[in-house]
Amino acid sequence: SSLLAAEHRSLAAEVLQLKLQQRRTREELVSQGIMPPLKSPAAFHEQRRSLERARTEDYLKRKIRSRPERSELVRMHILEETSAEPSLQAKQLKLKRARLADDLNEKIAQRPGPMELVEKNILPVESSLKEAIIGKSGCVREGRLDLYQDFHKCV
């Protein structure tokens, strides 16, 4: 029991020593405004901190007074235009994104394939390859297009 207590005290002393080594110097504390400078009175330091706080407070009040109206934020696409309660807005946004994802997936599924793009002269290919793709040579199998293999079989 006393051995355990001695180990505990030793460990606590090591931790304390480490923390003392890692703490900021007085100069750092003064430069960060946490402690007053040694040569100036504490009252002067407090007055200076009070003035800095007041200046910061005035700045923030000015910013709050001049912030844009909600309608302006909606127009700038910073806020969503919604009539839903704030507690439901996150769910509404999630639903909107899910709908957009579904629409996009549907459009991707309906987009034309490479064969259709070649047939409509949207996708440029060599004329001999185009003939093979369109099927004049009967080389396209099962509606799929394997450009390299089909071209070399037909040429």
Side-chain angles (χ1 to χ4, degrees), residues 22 25 29 43 54-55 81 83 87 117 119-120 130 153:
Q22 292 176 343
T25 64
L29 294 173
R55 189 171 62 201
E81 187 169 7
S83 58
S87 62
L117 294 175
E119 288 172 4
K120 291 181 178 179
K130 185 176 180 180
K153 281 182 186 175

Side-chain angles (χ1 to χ4, degrees), residues 5-150:
E7 278 186 38
H8 182 69
R9 279 193 300 273
S10 174
L11 182 61
E14 287 178 30
V15 169
L16 180 61
Q17 185 65 35
L18 184 62
K19 287 190 180 213
L20 286 172
Q21 289 172 354
Q22 292 176 343
R23 75 177 178 177
R24 294 177 278 186
T25 64
R26 180 169 180 84
E27 291 79 24
E28 288 174 320
L29 294 173
V30 168
S31 71
Q32 293 171 350
I34 296 171
M35 288 184 75
L38 282 173
K39 296 176 182 171
S40 67
F44 175 75
H45 178 70
E46 279 303 313
Q47 186 178 14
R48 184 173 169 197
R49 282 181 66 189
S50 168
L51 286 171
E52 285 177 9
R53 268 201 194 105
R55 189 171 62 201
T56 303
E57 187 178 331
D58 289 345
Y59 172 78
L60 292 174
K61 283 181 180 176
R62 248 191 344 270
K63 284 290 185 184
I64 288 173
R65 279 196 304 269
S66 66
R67 72 180 178 183
E69 293 292 321
R70 177 174 171 66
S71 58
E72 180 67 12
L73 294 174
V74 168
R75 189 187 66 74
M76 293 166 50
H77 301 288
I78 294 171
L79 290 179
E80 288 282 324
E81 187 169 7
T82 179
S83 58
E85 288 183 34
S87 62
L88 298 176
Q89 286 178 2
K91 290 179 184 175
Q92 186 182 35
L93 182 61
K94 198 173 183 179
L95 180 63
K96 183 178 179 182
R97 285 187 178 163
R99 281 192 195 135
L100 285 172
D102 287 347
D103 290 347
L104 184 59
N105 286 332
E106 190 175 317
K107 287 178 181 176
I108 288 172
Q110 293 175 358
R111 73 180 178 182
M115 286 177 54
E116 190 178 334
L117 294 175
V118 168
E119 288 172 4
K120 291 181 178 179
N121 291 322
I122 296 171
L123 188 64
V125 291
E126 293 179 22
S127 60
S128 56
L129 181 58
K130 185 176 180 180
E131 288 174 17
I133 292 170
I134 293 175
K136 289 184 179 174
S137 305
C139 294
V140 177
R141 47 182 200 277
E142 300 170 12
R144 290 191 35 103
L145 176 64
D146 187 341
L147 289 176
Y148 183 77
Q149 285 182 355
D150 290 342

